[in-house]
Amino acid sequence: LHGSSYFVGVDGLSAVLITTPKGHFLIDGGLPQSAEIIRRNIETLGFDVRDVKWLMNSHAHFDHAGGLAALQRMSGAPVAASQNTAAALARGSATPDDPQYSPDNRMPFPAVNVVRPLAEGGALTLSGVTITRHDTPGHAPGGNSWSWKSCEAGECVTIVYVDSMTPVSEPDYRFSDHPDYLTAFRESIAKVRALDCDILVSAHPEFSDLFRKVSTGALIDAGACRKYADAAETRLEIRLAQESTE
């Protein structure tokens, strides 16, 4: 991606490795079966998963948290996330306040043993590289986005790993019936829009057009977070309009 930041995920699911001389950060674990692929991708780059000191999560759904338990066993690293996400990771399923949760569909994944809750604006630092957590609930109640500086050949940029912001839910869930949750969702969109953001990596890479940007050399885009937020706002408004006609 840039400097010491590398995409190590799988097709359709992002994972990012940020390396330092004193250990590494790894954001997201994909599906349970993604963990081994991520490990191999890390090794292909010349790094060792056992040197990962922190794992981070975007949100506690099986397609982003499913591989974290295995990656934790490989690395011995704790997972950092919001308080809500930490609870979901420890139980190995979505929480009842998740729009996609139902008693018959808890979206289970392997539970994570060691999780460290991190507050809004909380930061983790290794060898001078600091990664900051941002509360971005909406797609999931404990949503996390992450930002850090990455330098290469004297050029330093801000990279943002942004959480999903699609209003997906169980069929009987209406965002308009949950005003507090809807307000938090809107605040997340506004927060992402305002972030310092030179390179955007979304939890699903297609939502930030990541691979096309890499292939065309257009990865640096200071307007990427704003565009992502605008698209998220449009999707939410379309969903609310649909709910109003039901």
Side-chain angles (χ1 to χ4, degrees), residues 165-167 185 189 227-237:
M165 289 193 164
T166 49
F185 202 157
I189 293 171
K227 295 170 189 174
Y228 186 86
D230 289 347
E233 185 172 56
T234 297
R235 287 192 298 269
L236 181 58
E237 294 307 321

Side-chain angles (χ1 to χ4, degrees), residues 29-131:
L31 295 158
Q33 59 267 36
S34 304
E36 181 60 24
I37 300 171
I38 292 170
R39 182 193 66 79
R40 292 200 304 266
N41 288 342
I42 291 171
E43 289 186 350
T44 297
L45 290 167
F47 302 106
D48 192 327
V49 71
R50 291 174 295 183
D51 291 327
V52 171
K53 303 304 182 185
W54 282 103
L55 297 162
M56 291 95 85
N57 182 224
S58 56
H59 62 274
H61 287 171
F62 70 95
D63 53 342
H64 304 281
L68 288 176
L71 288 163
Q72 185 171 82
R73 288 193 298 272
M74 295 174 191
S75 65
V79 179
S82 67
Q83 184 72 53
N84 182 290
T85 296
L89 293 174
R91 64 186 273 162
S93 76
T95 51
D97 54 345
D98 193 308
Q100 296 184 57
Y101 174 95
S102 78
D104 299 323
N105 177 26
R106 301 183 181 188
M107 300 182 288
F109 51 83
V112 179
N113 288 328
V114 184
V115 189
R116 306 286 190 235
L118 194 64
E120 157 67 18
L124 305 169
T125 299
L126 289 172
S127 192
V129 177
T130 298
I131 297 185

Side-chain angles (χ1 to χ4, degrees), residues 167-216:
V168 182
S169 71
E170 280 289 296
D172 60 349
Y173 184 94
R174 290 165 50 91
F175 286 88
S176 50
D177 290 340
H178 300 82
D180 290 343
Y181 193 91
L182 182 57
T183 295
F185 202 157
R186 293 188 188 280
E187 289 174 349
S188 296
I189 293 171
K191 182 180 294 183
V192 169
R193 182 180 286 117
L195 284 175
D196 181 17
C197 176
D198 299 305
I199 294 176
L200 173 66
V201 180
S202 51
H204 291 273
E206 65 270 21
F207 280 91
S208 52
D209 204 15
L210 182 67
F211 296 146
R212 183 196 63 80
K213 289 180 177 179
V214 170
S215 66
T216 60

